[in-house]
Amino acid sequence: MADTLDIQNLNVSIAERQILKNFSLTVPKGEVHAIMGPNGTGKSTLAKALAGHPDYTVNSGHAFLDGADIIGQAPDATARAGLFMAFQYPNEISGVTIANFIRAALQARLPKGAPFDAKGYYAKLYAKMDVLQMDRTFTSRSVNEGFSGGEKKRCEILQMMMLDPKYAVLDETDSGLDIDALRIVAEGVNALRGPDIGIIVITHYQRLLEHIIPDKVHVMYDGRIVRSGGKELALELEAKGYDWVKELV
Ligand code: ADP
Ligand code: MG
């Protein structure tokens, strides 16, 4: 189907252990879907399997990005196809500045030999950094090196805003953020929301969803979605806790 990220019956294992069990989810462009669930339930596994992380073995299933299956693709091909991943634990990349890192990602999307508009690039980069209230000095710092938890998460969102993906998966972007940083990050995500992007927000807590109002909420347990609903489902989850979810399996 065009204009959807269509995940069908994904079975994924790591170190011989099956984590995702017939996981299915369809996210159309223009919508924000939240995935909530207890720790260890496979949320990050989903994100990394979609991104093509080599440690995660997809035993069966598909993930169609606007009709083209991204399963089995190299991570850079999936990224160029339009999937963006904000990691729960972003890596530090010593010696590569944020400005050069994002620039390289954008240049990799240009047709061979096409010129890069450096002036336009910096104007856009600074404008997005302003939204995220990031100091300009960040551009010349190595990616995530010595960053606080909150700074790393802002850096992930900055990359997302610069790359304009078709689909984005945000894996616990709220973890490690204080309330002010949470609001700023949410503003960045909300600024990007619109008819041309589908977003999956993975979170353990309802708190983030007060700032990024989801169109749908899915509860994940033991490698699959056990309940789907509207934004009120997040409140129900917050009130009842995750023990209740186990009874849904
Ligand atoms: P969540 O993000 O929902 O907390 P994860 O997807 O990170 O869950 O983990 C799902 C399960 O896979 C957990 O039981 C975890 O211990 C296991 N797991 C994750 N990464 C690895 C790994 N590199 N090696 C072995 N087991 C792993
Ligand atoms: Mg996780």
Side-chain angles (χ1 to χ4, degrees):
M1 237 194 305
D3 291 326
T4 59
L5 177 62
D6 193 9
I7 306 165
Q8 295 182 359
N9 300 311
L10 216 50
N11 284 286
V12 175
S13 53
I14 180 156
E16 310 281 308
R17 208 175 117 219
Q18 193 180 357
I19 307 295
L20 293 191
K21 299 168 182 172
N22 275 324
F23 184 97
S24 296
L25 173 67
T26 303
V27 180
K29 278 193 190 134
E31 292 189 6
V32 175
H33 288 220
I35 298 178
M36 301 182 75
N39 286 329
T41 214
K43 303 184 298 299
S44 293
T45 299
L46 171 70
K48 289 180 191 169
L50 290 176
H53 194 296
D55 290 352
Y56 295 76
T57 308
V58 179
N59 300 305
S60 61
H62 305 278
F64 296 102
L65 191 158
D66 292 347
D69 198 353
I70 55 171
I71 297 301
Q73 298 271 3
D76 65 308
T78 298
R80 273 184 275 115
L83 184 75
F84 179 81
M85 192 69 57
F87 290 102
Q88 183 171 4
Y89 303 108
N91 285 325
E92 298 184 6
I93 311 174
S94 191
V96 179
T97 66
I98 291 184
N100 283 338
F101 181 67
I102 298 176
R103 179 178 174 150
L106 285 169
Q107 275 178 320
R109 284 164 165 72
L110 291 176
K112 227 182 164 75
F116 184 78
D117 171 17
K119 203 169 152 220
Y121 167 68
Y122 276 98
K124 186 175 172 184
L125 184 68
Y126 291 150
K128 305 296 181 195
M129 289 177 76
D130 286 347
V131 173
L132 296 170
Q133 297 182 22
M134 290 175 83
D135 195 275
R136 296 273 156 94
T137 55
F138 266 92
T139 52
S140 54
R141 286 179 60 182
S142 291
V143 178
N144 292 323
E145 200 175 43
F147 287 20
S148 71
E151 287 167 346
K152 284 183 184 174
K153 296 302 166 91
R154 280 189 222 201
C155 184
E156 295 287 291
I157 299 301
L158 177 66
Q159 291 164 39
M160 177 176 81
M161 295 175 89
M162 290 299 292
L163 292 172
D164 270 329
K166 292 178 183 152
Y167 300 93
V169 181
L170 310 183
D171 191 4
E172 300 212 20
T173 297
D174 48 338
S175 69
L177 295 184
D178 61 35
I179 190 71
D180 291 328
L182 185 79
R183 205 174 289 130
I184 292 161
V185 161
E187 261 168 43
V189 175
N190 288 331
L192 206 67
R193 263 179 109 150
D196 298 326
I197 184 169
I199 302 176
I200 297 175
V201 176
I202 295 172
T203 181
H204 189 79
Y205 300 103
Q206 194 266 342
R207 196 177 68 143
L208 179 70
L209 305 180
E210 289 170 9
H211 301 277
I212 304 171
I213 311 287
D215 297 290
K216 299 230 166 74
V217 173
H218 309 278
V219 182
M220 192 169 167
Y221 184 70
D222 193 24
R224 72 203 108 178
I225 288 171
V226 292
R227 175 74 65 95
S228 296
K231 59 180 192 294
E232 67 287 345
L233 184 56
L235 292 170
E236 195 178 347
L237 214 54
E238 188 89 340
K240 292 185 180 172
Y242 280 115
D243 280 347
W244 158 75
V245 168
K246 293 171 190 158
E247 287 151 31
L248 297 174
V249 181

